[in-house]
Amino acid sequence: MSLDALRANRSWRLLKAAVQRRAVFLIPTAALIGIVAGAVVAATTYSARALHRLLFALPEGERLSAQAALLDPRMALIPALGGVLVGLSIFFVRRFRSRPPVDPIEANALHGGRMSFRESVILAAQTLVSNGFGASVGLEAGYTQISAAVASWAGRVLELRRGDVRILVASGAAGAVAAAFDAPLTGAFYAFELILGTYTIAAVAPMMAAALAATLTANWLGAVQFSITIGEVETLQAADYVPFLLLGLVGGGAAILLMRLVTLVDWLYGRTGLRTEFRPLLGGLAVGAMALVTPQVLSSGNGALYFDLTAEPALSIIAGVLLLKVMSAAISLGSGFRGGLFFASLFVGGLLGTLFSALVAFVAPSVAAGPLETALVGMTAVATGVVGGPLTMTFLALEVSGDLALAGGVLAAAIVASVLVRETFGYSFSTWRLHLRGETIRSAQDVGWIRSLTVGSMMRTDVRTVPVDTSIAELKAAFPLGSTSRVVAVDGEGRYAGIVLLADAYGEREDPEAESQTDIGTLLKFSDEWLSQAMNARTAAGAFQRANAEELAVLDRDNRVVGLLTEGFLLRRYAEELEKVRRDLSGER
């Protein structure tokens, strides 16, 4: 059945009306999206591991990054081959589609949850190729993108309100993350903190329904998920939290360094003048060279993290792997491979925590926390700095480990890392990449309605203009007192010169002869203050405040007057839109 036929179906129309009018129907809709998300995660994970087995000759059940060495040195060229494929995809995508894909954070912040399904499929395919051929990136960017895009499509088909579409997009992302880690609370809070940008009662049930449905679906399909077993943890005393707070600072600093390195690599490629399509090839060669030293730099690093936490290798080896993993992740993403830093940040944080544990054991051997516990806290700290969700990472650490004894230490490190990154850097990895593209958003909080509330949509076009050389007497004759409050003066070429308040003209109290000889140039106000049609409400409000004006002219690119806008009308429209946002957040219909 086609989409048009579906929309014409009476049962479909009744279902659509029910979902639109009653918030409770969002819950089963989100659960269905969660089922899709769980299937997407299972299929993506299976496909990536199948590529690993095929390309790197891995035994069944083995992880690529957990290998001690490559079976054949020639396998170090496989990431470069993946770079060729990614470069080709970049070439064809740019040839036929110029707009970059919109991720869930950007979609919810600026576009009311609207995402392109086709562009999302392309990004997910690039992510799968990047990870499958060994680039040091995670799969989370791919399956989160697809799951959120499915949710966005469902919201458009059901013709839901802006706020409901945003909730469904967040639910799709929640389901993807929950399925990947077998952690429903982590998925839900990932959506709250990163995709929706706020916690609302109206969104709790849909988020949890999607997260639970996705987790159950992924389990049923046999998806291999991320888990850590740390055994019984000793009871922590107050003094034991001090190292965790310090590790939070170190982890936050490492997160900033990792994000900066990605940007540095991208900048260095730009300085060379090399075409974007060829950059993944060089990045793949660099990653392959590091894989000859240790395959732990390949892919997301799940297997390597589990191996390093259980096999307890020498500290020198851990330090070397840590350095190589940071370099390989930065080179992979900076050169153009598609993927995320979520899993890489967990790996880096785990290794950093292990090294920090050795330092603590040397300086303060009485501290109760051991290497595994400290590694878990280090994972939380670095991932919080990169991903940007302290509660998300706290729940992840607790759900994958199954131990609540570390709750205080994990949360403390997450908060410290979050504060450090926010105060010194200001962005998570996702919002930092948007910042480099010229966007100003710092979270997924909905600011798109502010951008759509432009001066051009609010101005009135019935503008009364007079030449700037008009005399005061002529102005009074043309505009009797009470006919209008202000007129716009223009020069001989029709360009804006300023605004004349009729109260000023009639308040001169001069004799008729003087008024006939004096032009209105002496009465001009706001000659240097005006608005453009593209200004949003927030920028326009600042212009009114600077000018201390009640009404300003709106000009085009040639400085010709196209309209007028009053401050009172601007504030009233802003308040109306703000009330709509409040109703969306509270779930009011």
Side-chain angles (χ1 to χ4, degrees), residues 197-566:
T198 185
Y199 175 89
T200 67
I201 298 299
V204 172
M207 299 287 188
M208 288 306 304
L212 289 170
T215 302
L216 293 174
T217 301
N219 283 328
W220 181 68
L221 293 175
V224 179
Q225 293 154 323
F226 181 74
S227 64
I228 299 175
T229 302
I230 64 174
E232 185 177 353
V233 179
E234 298 182 28
T235 302
L236 300 179
Q237 305 298 323
D240 298 326
Y241 288 92
V242 176
F244 292 157
L245 295 174
L246 295 176
L247 182 54
L249 289 174
V250 175
I256 296 173
L257 174 63
L258 183 56
M259 292 186 283
R260 286 288 190 184
L261 281 176
V262 174
T263 307
L264 176 62
V265 171
D266 185 45
W267 179 81
L268 290 174
Y269 272 116
R271 295 282 292 179
T272 64
L274 186 67
R275 288 177 59 90
T276 308
E277 297 89 337
F278 298 111
R279 296 177 185 180
L281 169 61
L282 294 184
L285 290 173
V287 172
M290 287 184 278
L292 289 174
V293 180
T294 172
Q296 293 193 29
V297 302
L298 297 176
S299 189
S300 58
N302 288 1
L305 176 59
Y306 184 80
F307 173 80
D308 289 334
L309 293 183
T310 55
E312 298 183 4
L315 294 179
S316 58
I317 295 178
I318 292 178
V321 171
L322 173 61
L323 178 61
L324 290 175
K325 183 62 180 179
V326 169
M327 293 174 57
S328 64
I331 290 173
S332 296
L333 290 170
S335 63
F337 281 104
R338 293 292 190 177
L341 273 180
F342 197 138
F343 287 109
S345 64
L346 293 174
F347 185 19
V348 170
L351 298 181
L352 186 65
T354 302
L355 294 176
F356 190 83
S357 174
L359 177 62
V360 171
F362 178 77
V363 175
S366 60
V367 173
L372 284 176
E373 294 92 328
T374 310
L376 193 64
V377 174
M379 289 166 49
T380 304
V382 176
T384 296
V386 171
V387 177
L391 289 179
T392 300
M393 294 301 110
T394 300
F395 279 112
L396 174 62
L398 298 179
E399 286 187 291
V400 300
S401 67
D403 199 313
L404 293 176
L406 279 174
V410 165
L411 182 59
I415 291 174
V416 169
S418 178
V419 170
L420 176 65
V421 173
R422 186 179 67 246
E423 294 299 325
T424 61
F425 189 65
Y427 299 90
S428 66
F429 181 66
S430 297
T431 54
W432 174 241
R433 298 301 292 268
L434 294 175
H435 168 73
L436 295 177
R437 279 171 36 194
E439 296 290 352
T440 57
I441 62 174
R442 291 177 180 264
S443 73
Q445 290 187 356
D446 190 8
V447 296
W449 64 271
I450 296 178
R451 295 193 175 190
S452 63
L453 191 62
T454 62
V455 168
S457 67
M458 294 183 289
M459 70 180 186
R460 58 185 178 88
T461 56
D462 54 333
V463 184
R464 297 187 177 188
T465 61
V466 294
V468 72
D469 57 1
T470 301
S471 68
I472 295 177
E474 291 173 334
L475 178 70
K476 288 182 177 181
F479 300 98
L481 192 61
S483 61
T484 186
S485 59
R486 54 184 58 81
V487 293
V488 177
V490 295
D491 62 17
E493 297 181 359
R495 291 191 292 265
Y496 175 71
I499 293 178
V500 178
L501 303 179
L502 284 187
D504 293 343
Y506 279 93
E508 288 293 313
R509 306 295 185 186
E510 296 185 5
D511 59 82
E513 183 177 354
E515 288 183 345
S516 64
Q517 297 177 357
T518 306
D519 62 43
I520 61 175
T522 58
L523 304 177
L524 292 183
K525 293 181 178 294
F526 318 125
S527 299
D528 298 327
E529 288 288 350
W530 62 85
L531 307 173
S532 68
Q533 298 181 71
M535 279 185 179
N536 61 47
R538 183 175 295 169
T539 305
F544 277 108
Q545 186 175 15
R546 288 193 306 272
N548 193 24
E550 295 180 359
E551 189 168 22
L552 288 175
V554 184
L555 310 185
D556 62 13
R557 292 183 178 180
D558 297 324
N559 282 348
R560 300 182 187 276
V561 182
V562 293
L564 285 171
L565 180 63
T566 64

Side-chain angles (χ1 to χ4, degrees), residues 115-141:
M115 299 175 63
S116 168
F117 186 77
R118 182 180 302 177
E119 291 168 358
S120 297
V121 170
I122 293 172
L123 186 145
Q126 291 174 330
T127 302
L128 179 59
V129 170
S130 299
N131 182 281
F133 279 74
S136 189
V137 296
L139 290 168
E140 67 276 3

Side-chain angles (χ1 to χ4, degrees), residues 31-168:
L32 290 174
I33 291 171
I35 292 174
V36 174
V40 166
V41 170
T44 304
T45 304
Y46 175 82
S47 300
R49 298 196 68 184
L51 283 173
H52 293 165
R53 289 195 301 272
L54 176 65
L55 297 172
F56 295 92
L58 295 183
E60 184 70 30
E62 292 288 330
R63 296 286 188 97
L64 174 59
S65 59
Q67 303 304 301
L70 295 176
L71 294 179
D72 188 330
R74 290 175 294 181
M75 290 180 178
L77 295 174
I78 292 176
L81 177 60
V84 173
L85 296 177
V86 172
L88 287 173
S89 71
I90 292 174
F91 171 78
F92 285 110
V93 167
R94 288 192 170 182
R95 184 177 179 86
F96 298 106
R97 300 186 67 84
S98 59
R99 191 180 71 174
V102 175
D103 71 6
I105 294 178
E106 183 181 2
N108 267 5
L110 302 178
H111 307 293
R114 297 182 65 85
M115 299 175 63
S116 168
F117 186 77
R118 182 180 302 177
E119 291 168 358
S120 297
V121 170
I122 293 172
L123 186 145
Q126 291 174 330
T127 302
L128 179 59
V129 170
S130 299
N131 182 281
F133 279 74
S136 189
V137 296
L139 290 168
E140 67 276 3
Y143 51 64
T144 302
Q145 182 81 18
I146 285 290
S147 301
V150 169
S152 177
W153 173 84
R156 293 198 303 273
V157 170
L158 292 170
E159 298 178 12
L160 299 181
R161 301 179 309 161
R162 179 187 184 96
D164 292 338
V165 176
R166 295 179 72 249
I167 289 176
L168 285 185

